[in-house]
């Protein structure tokens, strides 16, 4: 289905062309004065310059043609030569009906689907999920859903941090605590135990202890680094221990992301690229891309046009071990070979922008990424507390994601208890959905690059521009539809032309859905969907307050309204789903 705005534009463009002007002047946009008209075309002004005529003359010429067309009504010229356009209710209703009968609510799938890898989540093994990983998960999940909805072949990869120093820290801490374990005995020939020598709770205590020690004790730090290098070189006992760490941790992470309703197509990590490091390094050396600098193997990625210094990209450390840069470059090498993507999108904290600038430059310069492969970094801002500093627990520690979800669930629960139709046994599940909507919408409604303040009272409020408000609107429609179904009301299959101004506004909002989804995809901006659903929900609520749908006696009118509100519900629910938000049946 063509976008409504494009359909109108094309028609006006035709009129410009037929009158001897360039079509480009016929572009139509949504009116910024909805009190005056629905759409406007301002092309007569620049056209006047080119054709050396008065703008009014051109505008009137076009106006005469538009007046003869069935689909328009009340077209007029205003000011120095703006064309104000309204479409007939008949035309508008026909569009909304087409949308109602279309599988994807009027959205147009890409004609040339791309393979897109989205690298998001990025949790680190052996450390619990914390709020720092929240934004990546929420934004990445939404981008994945939007891209899939647009018909692309999307691969979401959690890209776990599973190959870095934290693993070395855990290994050396375990060694201090249980030196007798076979993993530390280099002469050990037998079979290693199947059971991990720790539980997830123990692991969560081991890592912080090890990290604290390494910070104050340089010998412990050296030991951790050595263990990391030995693991990467394939020391058998350490590899076995690492597998245990990975297993225990990934099980827990799967639960954590599951609770957030975030899921990945791939559960790969930094370590998966290790098998490509040797070939990649040979390739880089053979093609003279590398040089040595203070024992490090580097690639110069600076450009003459740089206004600030971009340090060399480090391929390997002097002892041959991998760094974060190594695994990221080798992961591009791996992804190119395994998935042949058109695009890789990284959803990572914006403080890592220099790192990704280096990775991308290096991948392009060395042709590990071909010219056609689009590498895109979506750097997000920080979620702050009310003090304007990164969000922390009351004690000043790192807030665990699980605890954060609990806090927001509790915040919406009291409000939910006011609704007596909610049974006790369902309240937890509803609170989970509503709480997550508060959290996710609070995040996604901001532009990703911006920092924002986590404001629990505002996010969890049932009024205003919040997740719960949008959910509440969708749930309100669901409840009307349930009552209608109980009545045994017979559905007609058509939406009539609007009966009032507010109903017409609702039609116009609905008809924008395909445009908004496409824009949120091209701009990688879920916040555009948030703006849209809020606008749609508010318009619907105004319509709802003005009309008694269930009590309406005119059967034809009532049937049309029921279709209209069920379309509204579908658009709300689909938009929310694109944001990764589930809609409950009641709340
Ligand atoms: N594990 C990293 C971190 O916690 C994020 C990973 C982002 N993805 C990537 N390909 N580097 O900072």
């Amino acid at each position: 289905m063509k976008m409504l705005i494009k359909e109108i534009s094309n028609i006006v463009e035709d009129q410009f062309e037929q009158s001897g002007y360039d079509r480009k002047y016929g572009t139509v946009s949504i009116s910024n004065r909805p009190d005056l008209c629905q759409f406007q075309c301002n092309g007569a002004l620049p056209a006047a310059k080119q054709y050396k005529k008065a703008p009014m003359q051109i505008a009137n010429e076009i106006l005469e043609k538009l007046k003869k067309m069935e689909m328009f009504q009340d077209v007029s010229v205003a000011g120095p030569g703006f064309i104000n356009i309204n479409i007939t209710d008949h035309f508008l209703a026909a569009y909304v009906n087409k949308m109602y009968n279309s599988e994807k609510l009027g959205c147009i799938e890409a004609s040339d689907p791309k393979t897109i890898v989205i690298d998001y989540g990025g949790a680190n093994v052996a450390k619990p999920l914390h709020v720092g990983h929240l934004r990546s998960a929420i934004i990445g999940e939404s981008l994945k859903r939007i891209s899939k909805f647009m018909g692309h072949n999307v691969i979401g990869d959690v890209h776990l941090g599973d190959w870095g120093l934290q693993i070395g820290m855990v290994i050396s801490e375990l060694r201090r605590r249980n030196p007798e374990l076979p993993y530390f005995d280099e002469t050990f020939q037998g079979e290693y135990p199947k059971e991990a020598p720790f539980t997830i709770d123990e692991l969560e205590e081991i890592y912080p202890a090890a990290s604290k020690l390494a910070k104050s004790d340089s010998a412990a730090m050296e030991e951790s680094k050595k263990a990391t290098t030995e693991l990467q070189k394939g020391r058998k006992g350490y590899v076995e221990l690492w597998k245990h760490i990975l297993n225990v941790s990934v099980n827990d992470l799967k639960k954590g992301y599951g609770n957030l309703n975030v899921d990945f197509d791939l559960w790969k990590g930094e370590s998966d690229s290790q098998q490509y490091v040797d070939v990649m390094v040979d390739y880089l050396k053979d093609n003279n891309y590398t040089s040595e600098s203070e024992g490090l193997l580097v690639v110069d990625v600076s450009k003459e046009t740089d206004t600030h210094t971009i340090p060399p990209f480090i391929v390997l450390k002097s002892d041959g071990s991998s760094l974060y840069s190594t695994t990221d470059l080798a992961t591009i090498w791996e992804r190119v070979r395994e998935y042949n993507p058109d695009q890789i999108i990284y959803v990572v904290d914006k403080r890592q922008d220099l790192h990704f600038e280096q990775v991308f430059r290096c991948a392009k310069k060395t042709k590990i990424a071909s010219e056609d492969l689009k590498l895109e970094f979506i750097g997000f801002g920080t979620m702050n507390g009310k003090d304007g500093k990164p969000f922390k627990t009351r004690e000043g520690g790192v807030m665990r994601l699980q605890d954060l979800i609990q806090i927001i669930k509790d915040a919406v629960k009291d409000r939910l208890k006011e609704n007596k139709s909610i049974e006790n046994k369902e309240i937890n599940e509803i609170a989970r959905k509503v709480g997550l909507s508060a959290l996710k919408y609070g995040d996604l409604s901001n532009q990703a690059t911006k920092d924002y303040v986590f404001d629990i009272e505002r996010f969890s409020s049932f009024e205003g521009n919040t997740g719960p408000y949008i959910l509440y609107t969708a749930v309100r429609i669901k409840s009307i539809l349930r009552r209608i179904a109980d009545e045994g009301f017979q559905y007609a299959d058509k939406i009539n032309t609007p009966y009032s101004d507010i109903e017409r506004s609702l039609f116009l909002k609905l008809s924008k859905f395909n445009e908004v989804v496409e824009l949120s995809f091209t701009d990688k901006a879920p916040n555009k969907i948030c703006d849209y659903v809020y606008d749609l929900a508010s318009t619907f609520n105004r319509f709802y307050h003005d009309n008694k749908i269930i009590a309406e006696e005119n059967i034809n009118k009532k049937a049309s309204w029921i279709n209209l509100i069920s379309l509204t519900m579908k658009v709300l629910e689909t938009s929310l789903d694109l944001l990764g938000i589930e809609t409950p049946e009641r709340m």
Side-chain angles (χ1 to χ4, degrees), residues 119-125 127 130 132-133 136 157-162 166 270 324 327-328 331 335 346-349 352 355-356 359:
D119 181 315
Y120 72 107
N124 297 316
V125 158
K127 306 183 190 176
H130 62 83
H133 293 113
S136 179
D157 183 1
V158 65
H159 197 73
L160 297 172
D162 63 353
Q166 87 269 27
E270 296 165 352
Y324 189 45
T327 55
D328 262 326
T331 302
R335 286 174 177 158
Y346 297 82
V347 187
V348 187
D349 192 313
Q352 294 192 25
H355 165 75
F356 282 99
V359 173

Side-chain angles (χ1 to χ4, degrees), residues 169-186 188 192-193 195-199 202-203 205-207 209-210 223 235 237-238 241 244-245:
M169 286 183 177
V170 171
I171 292 177
S172 26
E173 179 68 19
L174 279 169
R175 184 176 190 148
R176 280 189 287 275
R177 294 184 186 193
N178 314 89
E180 73 292 349
L181 288 173
Y183 308 98
F184 305 113
D185 175 3
E186 281 190 270
F188 184 73
Y192 291 101
E195 275 294 295
F198 43 73
T199 62
E202 284 160 349
L203 193 57
E205 179 268 320
I206 292 170
Y207 169 73
E223 247 172 60
R235 178 168 163 174
Y238 286 7
L241 206 44
H244 285 311
I245 299 174

Side-chain angles (χ1 to χ4, degrees), residues 420-472:
K420 297 288 172 256
S421 76
I422 295 178
E423 290 172 39
N424 262 343
K425 63 177 195 299
E426 50 178 5
I427 195 150
N428 268 322
E429 181 54 16
I430 298 176
R432 185 184 73 82
K433 288 182 179 160
V434 179
L436 280 184
S437 84
L439 193 64
K440 291 186 175 188
Y441 192 91
D443 187 302
L444 292 171
S445 53
N446 298 285
Q447 215 179 308
T449 48
K450 298 228 168 95
D451 297 348
Y452 72 92
V453 173
F454 177 76
D455 181 341
I456 189 158
E457 288 80 35
R458 188 165 69 77
F459 288 4
S460 59
S461 164
F462 281 35
E463 282 98 45
N465 189 5
T466 69
Y469 170 74
I470 315 284
L471 279 190
Y472 193 75

Side-chain angles (χ1 to χ4, degrees), residues 21-68:
Y21 306 113
D22 195 319
R23 334 180 26 89
K24 70 176 183 206
Y25 296 121
T27 307
V28 166
S29 55
I30 291 188
S31 160
N32 51 22
R33 285 289 305 272
D35 52 325
L36 295 180
C37 59
Q38 297 164 345
F39 304 94
Q40 64 191 58
C41 169
N42 302 340
L45 288 96
K49 277 212 179 91
Q50 182 180 340
Y51 298 99
K52 308 214 173 1
K53 285 188 185 176
M56 276 306 253
Q57 189 189 342
I58 300 181
N60 278 317
E61 219 177 309
I62 304 298
L63 181 72
E64 283 318 307
K65 290 180 169 260
L66 296 181
K67 272 188 178 164
K68 294 201 188 86

Side-chain angles (χ1 to χ4, degrees), residues 192-253:
Y192 291 101
K194 296 249 176 312
E195 275 294 295
F198 43 73
T199 62
I200 182 68
D201 291 336
E202 284 160 349
L203 193 57
E204 284 181 2
E205 179 268 320
I206 292 170
Y207 169 73
S211 154
K212 199 170 158 208
L213 181 71
K215 267 188 199 135
S216 60
D217 176 341
S218 63
M221 180 58 106
E222 275 320 303
E223 247 172 60
S224 305
K225 286 187 178 163
K226 187 159 166 261
T228 312
T229 308
E230 285 181 324
L231 164 72
Q232 293 182 353
K233 293 243 162 83
R235 178 168 163 174
K236 235 175 117 214
Y238 286 7
V239 171
E240 289 306 310
L241 206 44
W242 168 78
K243 284 186 189 159
H244 285 311
I245 299 174
L246 203 62
N247 268 337
V248 169
S249 212
V250 167
N251 268 333
D252 189 56
L253 287 171

